[in-house]
Amino acid sequence: MFIQTEATPNPATLKFLPGKEVLREGTADFRDADSAREASPLAGRLFDIPGVTGVFFGYDFITVTKDGPEWQHLKPAILGTIMEHFMSSQPVMSSSAPAAETSETEEFYDKADEELVLTIKELLDTRVRPAVAQDGGDITFRGFENGTVFLHMKGSCAGCPSSTATLKHGIQNLLRHFVPEVQQVEQVS
């Protein structure tokens, strides 16, 4: 098994491409070891590696976030863990785990803005999310209120030094161009 790695715009996050499907639908974002162990054997084992602080699963990639140790020291352990997991034929997610995040819950917007929200979501799905997935992350719609679009950033996007620029200069400009009612874009957790 050959696992490729790619740098992401976030220096604390590295993208791993195992050459296999990781999650068929949605994404899974883990920010603590306890929830990771409960939901995913693979995420739990990755959190056992000292220095790992986040694990994110996409369709065909895994991003790992670290603090402290340099990648040259962490990478071999992460690669070994991913390889062992896929060679064991264990599932990525536990059967008792909550379903992967196929859509964010608790979206908020005025029903009168439903047509605008559908356009915003379509733009996010077709123009933004594929580009962000290339960088090992994901962005999902959370709400629209008084001209402000609220988005949730996951994976390598969460805590990325360039995430503010991505939101303000990239996504905000794109949405304003196609949906003049959009005045600004804000990140929510």
Side-chain angles (χ1 to χ4, degrees), residues 120 124 128 139-141 143-145 147-153 163-164 166-176 182-188:
I120 290 167
L124 291 172
V128 176
I139 294 179
T140 54
F141 176 85
F144 178 73
E145 190 173 72
T148 301
V149 176
F150 296 91
L151 302 175
H152 179 59
M153 300 178 91
S163 65
T164 302
T166 299
L167 275 177
K168 295 297 178 188
H169 302 296
I171 300 169
Q172 183 171 286
N173 289 344
L174 172 84
L175 293 178
R176 279 177 160 172
V182 172
Q183 295 168 13
Q184 63 181 353
V185 175
E186 295 292 331
Q187 179 178 347
V188 296

Side-chain angles (χ1 to χ4, degrees), residues 10-14 31 50-54 64-72 74 78:
N10 184 347
T13 302
L14 198 59
R31 294 290 152 195
V52 171
T53 60
V64 177
T65 304
K66 62 135 178 125
D67 71 356
E70 294 299 319
W71 282 118
Q72 65 196 21
L74 282 176
I78 294 169

Side-chain angles (χ1 to χ4, degrees), residues 29-178:
D29 193 13
F30 304 102
R31 294 290 152 195
D32 66 84
D34 291 337
S35 67
R37 280 187 195 86
E38 189 177 312
S40 166
L42 176 56
R45 289 181 63 203
L46 288 168
F47 267 97
D48 288 340
I49 299 168
V52 171
T53 60
V55 175
F56 178 80
F57 297 145
Y59 174 74
D60 63 351
F61 67 90
I62 300 162
T63 57
V64 177
T65 304
K66 62 135 178 125
D67 71 356
E70 294 299 319
W71 282 118
Q72 65 196 21
H73 302 298
L74 282 176
K75 228 166 106 171
I78 294 169
L79 288 167
T81 299
I82 293 170
M83 189 176 301
E84 284 175 22
H85 179 82
F86 280 104
M87 300 296 269
S88 74
S89 298
Q90 279 188 302
V92 171
M93 300 298 284
S94 302
S95 57
S96 62
E101 302 167 36
T102 52
S103 66
E104 288 297 326
T105 55
E106 301 179 36
E107 287 182 356
F108 58 91
Y109 58 89
D110 189 321
K111 292 296 175 198
D113 294 328
E114 192 154 9
E115 199 65 37
L116 290 174
V117 168
L118 289 174
T119 302
I120 290 167
K121 285 181 173 183
E122 181 181 345
L123 287 166
L124 291 172
D125 288 345
T126 59
R127 295 182 181 238
V128 176
R129 292 180 77 196
V132 172
Q134 293 267 320
D135 288 338
D138 195 16
I139 294 179
T140 54
F141 176 85
R142 291 303 289 271
F144 178 73
E145 190 173 72
N146 299 324
T148 301
V149 176
F150 296 91
L151 302 175
H152 179 59
M153 300 178 91
K154 301 183 278 190
S156 67
C157 296
C160 177
S162 61
S163 65
T164 302
T166 299
L167 275 177
K168 295 297 178 188
H169 302 296
I171 300 169
Q172 183 171 286
N173 289 344
L174 172 84
L175 293 178
R176 279 177 160 172
H177 177 77
F178 288 102

